[in-house]
Amino acid sequence: ALAPRCGWVLPGLEQRLAVPAVLNPAAARPYAAAAKAAKKDARKSRQEKVKEKPPPPRRRLLMTKPVDDVYLSWLYRRPSYQLEQALGMLKRFQELDFTHPKQFVYINVFLDMALQKKKKVDPFSSSVTLPHRFTDEVNKVLVFTENVQEAEVAREHGAAIVGGVELMKWILEDEIQADFYVAVPAIIPKLIPLRNKLKRKYPSTRKNSLGSDIPKMLQFFRECHEYTVEDENIIKTRIARLDMPTEHIIANLKTIIHDICTFKPSNFDPIVQRLVIRSSTSEGLLLNLDGILPQVEKGEEKEEGNATDEDQQKPVQESVST
């Protein structure tokens, strides 16, 4: 209707009115084959990159001892000190920095928790009685007992809270909290609902918090020093005050280290890998472990080695017999 009367058609209108021809799918999408080829090439190049990984960079060999007083610390190995030498340095740092002389002394203990066959020592917490107390703080101890006479004995020996089953409701609702929980054997079956709440603080004979000698348990837990494994293999705890005699600080440190070493069998590598000591305001000093770790007698090592060999041979013999 829009075409002129003379019968001619406007340029381009003939192509629009024409019926389009049926095209081949491959011809309609010429980029499909190219995309598949590109994916294959990318996959091959990715696999080649994985196979042809560059070798790890060579580590720079650290030098042992600097020649000058001013040096780049990352070029040298971290020096280690004997325990007496390190404590003398900490005391000297305090004098030069004019910091508080009664500041706390801390240790960071880095542990090797590995055992055989991909097993490892589970993170633990423990309590020890230090030979030289360095604080007047007393732990808050709760005693579970339903015996009137035992309750009076517990109060006389410094128990912060004494009671029976009626305390469970307040503990579950966080109305009552204590540093340690002690119980007598007669009441322990009634305290099972508190197991998930108290977790490691739940009374047990293994931790010496379940027994009949209430005065002895109270004396220990009111004055004991507690430490815990953090970040799976690190213990950070304070051990003394800097103004204490050097031999007292050493005695406290060795007491904690010897207790830590009891959590891994002596026939394995020592559980203590590195030990760093510092004060509240000083840098950390790496300690030489010689003379700090408990010494294991050779006879005990042989017996334990034979025991482990027998344990390893038992499953083999059983499998053969079956």
Side-chain angles (χ1 to χ4, degrees):
L2 299 178
R5 294 181 181 178
C6 58
W8 58 273
V9 182
L10 294 174
L13 185 59
E14 184 178 4
Q15 296 178 357
R16 297 177 188 175
L17 297 175
V19 179
V22 179
L23 299 177
N24 187 8
R29 294 188 299 168
Y31 57 85
K36 289 183 179 179
K39 286 183 179 179
K40 289 182 179 179
D41 294 340
R43 195 177 303 159
K44 288 182 179 179
S45 61
R46 203 177 299 119
Q47 293 175 355
E48 290 176 356
K49 287 182 180 179
V50 172
K51 292 180 180 179
E52 298 177 358
K53 281 186 177 180
R58 293 183 179 180
R59 294 185 178 181
R60 184 190 298 271
L61 295 177
L62 299 179
M63 292 178 281
T64 55
K65 189 175 181 181
V67 180
D68 203 349
D69 295 336
V70 180
Y71 58 93
L72 297 174
S73 58
W74 55 271
L75 289 177
Y76 296 86
R77 297 177 185 173
R78 187 175 182 179
S80 62
Y81 304 93
Q82 296 296 330
L83 181 54
E84 295 83 356
Q85 181 185 6
L87 291 174
M89 294 173 65
L90 294 181
K91 292 176 180 290
R92 183 59 178 165
F93 293 159
Q94 180 271 322
E95 296 176 356
L96 296 175
D97 296 337
F98 296 98
T99 54
H100 201 279
K102 292 187 178 182
Q103 57 187 293
F104 288 114
V105 178
Y106 298 84
I107 57 172
N108 293 354
V109 189
F110 298 86
L111 306 178
D112 178 12
M113 311 284 277
L115 295 173
Q116 286 182 347
K117 298 181 180 179
K118 297 183 179 180
K119 295 182 180 180
K120 64 178 182 178
V121 180
D122 295 328
F124 56 87
S125 63
S126 181
S127 302
V128 294
T129 301
L130 298 179
H132 305 283
R133 287 178 53 82
F134 58 90
T135 178
D136 296 331
E137 299 175 1
V138 178
N139 297 320
K140 185 178 180 181
V141 184
L142 184 149
V143 178
F144 287 107
T145 181
E146 293 179 331
N147 187 297
V148 179
Q149 296 179 352
E150 291 178 343
E152 292 179 357
V153 172
R155 293 189 184 95
E156 291 175 357
H157 287 80
I161 303 171
V162 182
V165 182
E166 70 277 2
L167 298 178
M168 292 174 54
K169 176 183 177 182
W170 306 107
I171 295 174
L172 292 173
E173 295 178 356
D174 293 329
E175 296 292 335
I176 292 178
Q177 294 180 351
D179 297 319
F180 296 97
Y181 298 83
V182 170
V184 294
I187 198 176
I188 197 65
K190 302 178 182 179
L191 303 180
I192 294 178
L194 293 177
R195 186 184 294 273
N196 292 333
K197 179 66 176 180
L198 300 182
K199 296 181 180 179
R200 293 179 179 176
K201 294 185 178 182
Y202 187 78
S204 66
T205 53
R206 183 174 58 85
K207 296 182 179 180
N208 299 321
S209 57
L210 176 61
S212 302
D213 195 344
I214 295 178
K216 182 179 179 180
M217 292 189 295
L218 282 172
Q219 182 182 3
F220 174 77
F221 286 105
R222 289 181 77 243
E223 300 179 356
C224 70
H225 177 77
E226 186 180 23
Y227 63 87
T228 306
V229 176
E230 305 174 6
D231 300 329
E232 296 185 355
N233 66 336
I234 302 176
I235 295 175
K236 301 177 182 179
T237 184
R238 57 186 186 181
I239 61 170
R241 290 190 182 272
L242 193 57
D243 63 334
M244 291 173 59
T246 301
E247 56 271 16
H248 291 184
I249 301 176
I250 293 175
N252 285 357
L253 183 145
K254 288 187 176 181
T255 300
I256 295 176
I257 295 298
H258 287 203
D259 187 71
I260 293 172
C261 292
T262 59
F263 285 87
K264 186 175 181 180
S266 58
N267 56 318
F268 292 96
D269 293 334
I271 189 171
V272 178
Q273 279 188 325
R274 288 188 299 144
L275 179 59
V276 177
I277 190 170
R278 64 176 181 85
S279 66
S280 301
T281 59
S282 74
E283 62 177 299
L285 302 177
L286 182 64
L287 294 179
N288 189 340
L289 297 177
D290 295 339
I292 297 179
L293 299 182
Q295 296 181 356
V296 180
E297 296 181 0
K298 295 182 179 179
E300 295 181 359
E301 288 181 350
K302 290 181 179 179
E303 292 177 0
E304 292 174 351
N306 295 333
T308 53
D309 293 339
E310 291 177 359
D311 294 338
Q312 293 175 358
Q313 292 176 359
K314 284 180 181 178
V316 178
Q317 295 175 356
E318 291 175 0
S319 61
V320 172
S321 61
T322 55

